[in-house]
Amino acid sequence: MLVLVGSVLLSVLVGAAELGRDRVLAEIVAQLTGGVSPLSEREAAILWDLRVPRTVLGVLVGAALAVSGAAFQGVFRNPLADPYLLGSAAGAGLAVTLVITTAPQSGLSIPVQAAAFAGALGGVGLTWLVGRSAGPDTATLVLAGVAVGAFLTAGQTFLQQLRVESLQQVYLWILGRLSTTGWREVLIVLPHLVVSAVVLCLCARLLDVLGTGDEEATSLGVHPSRVRILVLIAASLATAAAVSVAGLIGFVGLAVPHLVRLAIGGGFRIIVPMSLLFGGVFLVLADVLARTLLAPAEIPIGVITAFTGAPFFAVLLHRRRA
């Protein structure tokens, strides 16, 4: 919690507009105590309508992706499972590409966030239908996710080739970015994350039971199929909400649960709730790097998470071999 508060404070203090760190701290204290604001009206708007919402959005998106990744790894008993395993990323990518490339020509006005949310849930739903028609086991569901993801990605590529002028806009969304114009994006993610986090935390002990095998879990009074369905629905809902406002940010749901295991250890009853906090810290710090490394230019946050996530896994593989 202390690290999360510190990373949030760092993110609020850093920005393209120089507000002065002492003045920002004095403004926060003034808002908490009812004192006089040291900032002008324009500076206060930059702080409370741009920086703070973006920081809060980073916490929520990071928490959503990390807790979903932990849940997927528990359901599939696979350390390489991530929130995009069942086609949510491919479905969101296809939906966003469809909106960007065809909506202006057809006169439709469909928000990108709504298209990404619907596409992510649609991709997961299609994977579930294909997987359940082939067999009830989780391995079949993973294979269905690979097949559906490849099919939806092919559709996205086809649309991009038809509208080459839209490639840059689609590409920027795919790389991921925490961009806000107020608190609207925060309000989109928050209710979905709260519901999903409550469900996943309540099911965390059941994920530990599932790790013993279906027969053992059934003998202990657990219904494996029901638990998996509930966990996958909750995790997919959180992933869809995160993707809808931030694009496809990779490695958060894959790396953060492993980071929790290294730092704290324990079963999923610890990993799931702690992934919420670690995910928020990870993405907020990644966003700080994205905004400051090439300031005033901004690096897509997906590039930062990939640069940090890939070496982390290389170190993890080396430790396992040792």
Side-chain angles (χ1 to χ4, degrees):
M1 288 298 297
L2 290 175
V3 174
L4 178 61
V5 172
S7 62
V8 167
L9 187 59
L10 175 64
S11 177
V12 171
L13 293 176
V14 174
E18 182 56 46
L19 302 180
R21 297 180 181 179
D22 294 339
R23 297 173 69 228
V24 171
L25 292 174
E27 166 67 13
I28 296 174
V29 173
Q31 292 296 327
L32 294 176
T33 60
V36 179
S37 172
L39 301 180
S40 65
E41 184 177 349
R42 173 180 171 275
E43 291 172 333
I46 291 174
L47 178 63
W48 297 108
D49 295 334
L50 293 177
R51 284 193 192 177
V52 175
R54 176 167 179 156
T55 301
V56 175
L57 183 65
V59 173
L60 297 180
V61 171
L65 293 176
V67 76
S68 299
F72 271 72
Q73 291 173 16
V75 167
F76 294 104
R77 287 182 280 180
N78 187 338
L80 295 180
D82 74 345
Y84 305 144
L85 184 65
L86 298 186
S88 58
L94 177 60
V96 169
T97 304
L98 187 65
V99 168
I100 292 175
T101 57
T102 64
Q105 288 75 20
S106 61
L108 296 176
S109 179
I110 302 175
V112 171
Q113 290 91 348
F117 185 82
L121 292 182
V124 175
L126 183 59
T127 297
W128 180 261
L129 292 176
V130 174
R132 296 300 292 180
S133 65
D137 57 297
T138 55
T140 303
L141 195 59
V142 172
L143 293 176
V146 173
V148 170
F151 178 78
L152 296 178
T153 302
Q156 177 185 349
T157 304
F158 176 72
L159 288 175
Q160 289 176 344
Q161 294 303 312
L162 292 180
R163 296 285 188 273
V164 180
E165 66 277 5
S166 65
L167 278 177
Q168 183 177 5
Q169 190 175 356
V170 175
Y171 190 59
L172 288 175
W173 182 87
I174 291 174
L175 289 177
R177 185 178 182 183
L178 294 176
S179 58
T180 60
T181 55
W183 292 91
R184 177 176 174 271
E185 291 80 4
V186 172
L187 296 177
I188 291 175
V189 179
L190 184 59
H192 299 92
L193 175 59
V194 170
V195 173
S196 300
V198 170
V199 172
L200 294 178
C201 288
L202 291 176
C203 292
R205 289 180 180 273
L206 299 179
L207 291 177
D208 287 325
V209 177
L210 291 183
T212 63
D214 286 3
E215 292 184 3
E216 183 69 20
T218 302
S219 68
L220 294 173
V222 176
H223 299 277
S225 59
R226 295 180 186 177
V227 174
R228 289 193 183 99
I229 292 174
L230 183 60
V231 170
L232 290 178
I233 290 175
S236 298
L237 183 64
T239 302
V243 167
S244 68
V245 297
L248 304 181
I249 301 176
F251 274 101
V252 179
L254 189 60
V256 171
H258 287 284
L259 182 62
V260 174
R261 287 189 185 93
L262 289 176
I264 301 175
F268 285 99
R269 64 186 180 86
I270 296 176
I271 293 173
V272 169
M274 291 305 297
S275 292
L276 286 166
L277 298 178
F278 273 69
V281 171
F282 182 84
L283 201 62
V284 167
L285 293 180
D287 184 51
V288 171
L289 292 177
R291 287 185 284 144
T292 58
L293 286 180
L294 296 180
E298 184 175 320
I299 304 173
I301 194 170
V303 175
I304 300 296
T305 58
F307 267 130
T308 55
F312 168 78
F313 265 94
V315 173
L316 181 63
L317 291 174
H318 179 73
R319 286 171 60 92
R320 285 199 169 191
R321 181 183 178 186

